[in-house]
Amino acid sequence: AQSVAQPEDQVNVAEGNPLTVKCTYSVSGNPYLFWYVQYPNRGLQFLLKYITGDNLVKGSYGFEAEFNKSQTSFHLKKPSALVSDSALYFCAVRDILRSGGYQKVTFGTGTKLQVIP
Amino acid sequence: KAGVTQTPRYLIKTRGQQVTLSCSPISGHRSVSWYQQTPGQGLQFLFEYFSETQRNKGNFPGRFSGRQFSNSRSEMNVSTLELGDSALYLCASSLSGDDYEQYFGPGTRLTVT
């Protein structure tokens, strides 16, 4: 069974500092990994994804994430945080089995990012 | 291109009643998934439809059901509502295939009293 963990309920970072939101996953096949963001009173928005290829993927709003197969991690990063980045961030995984078939997408519990002015 | 739309946006029902929620995906998207979002449980997967066929189902009781129409629009139904069904129900659409990201609607806020 697939699973995804976001070990931090909340991350606080000062504006202008680099930020990292952590995500680890467990799959039996190969992972498709995604990050989404949910702003207050707004729906979830896609940020970026890793399917295959380069381990460092770049996404919207200056965010990037690094896929680390040995550590089964897919941490979200940004070099310089903005107050407007304050939101709820979700990591998600879809397990791609060698036997084929479509697996559901499993979401983490979310990490609240608070950027302090 | 219009985004994912969900109707109604807000709903108040009484225990024991049933409810139907509707989702219209982005034009050209053939996959529709439903999620239940609550503060304590996060996003829980309900089901996924592709070309009118359910291809994945989450761990919810049989009171939760869904379907997809030939135009890719989808509905989910909850029968015999319980207080614990109060949640934000999110619909997401994507192009076919596992590697496509999902686009979420604003959700339907269901309150069961």
Side-chain angles (χ1 to χ4, degrees), chain A residues 75-98:
Chain A
H75 300 332
L76 181 70
K77 300 180 181 183
K78 187 174 182 180
S80 179
L82 300 172
V83 172
S84 57
D85 292 331
S86 298
L88 189 57
Y89 291 80
F90 291 93
C91 180
V93 65
R94 193 195 288 264
D95 190 359
I96 306 304
L97 302 180
R98 296 180 187 87

Side-chain angles (χ1 to χ4, degrees), chain B residues 24-62:
Chain B
S24 293
I26 292 173
S27 177
H29 285 193
R30 296 168 64 191
S31 171
V32 173
S33 297
W34 288 89
Y35 297 87
Q36 181 194 68
Q37 186 177 21
T38 58
Q41 298 293 321
L43 269 87
Q44 300 292 310
F45 173 78
L46 281 155
F47 19 69
E48 178 182 8
Y49 288 89
F50 180 77
S51 293
E52 302 180 67
T53 300
Q54 186 183 89
R55 67 179 188 183
N56 272 302
K57 189 177 189 304
N59 298 321
F60 278 80

Side-chain angles (χ1 to χ4, degrees), chain A residues 32 34 36 38 41-46 49 51 88 90 94-96 101-109, chain B residues 35 37 41-43 45 48 55-59 88 90 94 97-106:
Chain A
Y32 287 170
F34 307 84
Y36 291 85
Q38 188 174 35
N41 299 316
R42 292 172 64 179
L44 273 81
Q45 298 176 33
F46 168 75
K49 66 181 178 183
I51 302 301
L88 189 57
F90 291 93
R94 193 195 288 264
D95 190 359
I96 306 304
Y102 295 95
Q103 298 301 303
K104 66 180 182 180
V105 176
T106 297
F107 280 79
T109 52
Chain B
Y35 297 87
Q37 186 177 21
Q41 298 293 321
L43 269 87
F45 173 78
E48 178 182 8
R55 67 179 188 183
N56 272 302
K57 189 177 189 304
N59 298 321
L88 181 66
L90 295 169
S94 67
D98 291 335
D99 57 345
Y100 286 99
E101 60 273 20
Q102 295 175 308
Y103 292 84
F104 284 81

Side-chain angles (χ1 to χ4, degrees), chain B residues 66-88:
Chain B
R67 58 177 176 169
Q68 186 180 32
F69 302 95
S70 58
N71 61 358
S72 293
R73 191 177 70 85
S74 177
E75 289 181 348
M76 68 163 281
N77 184 277
V78 188
S79 62
T80 319
L81 284 166
E82 301 177 359
L83 295 179
D85 297 333
S86 295
L88 181 66

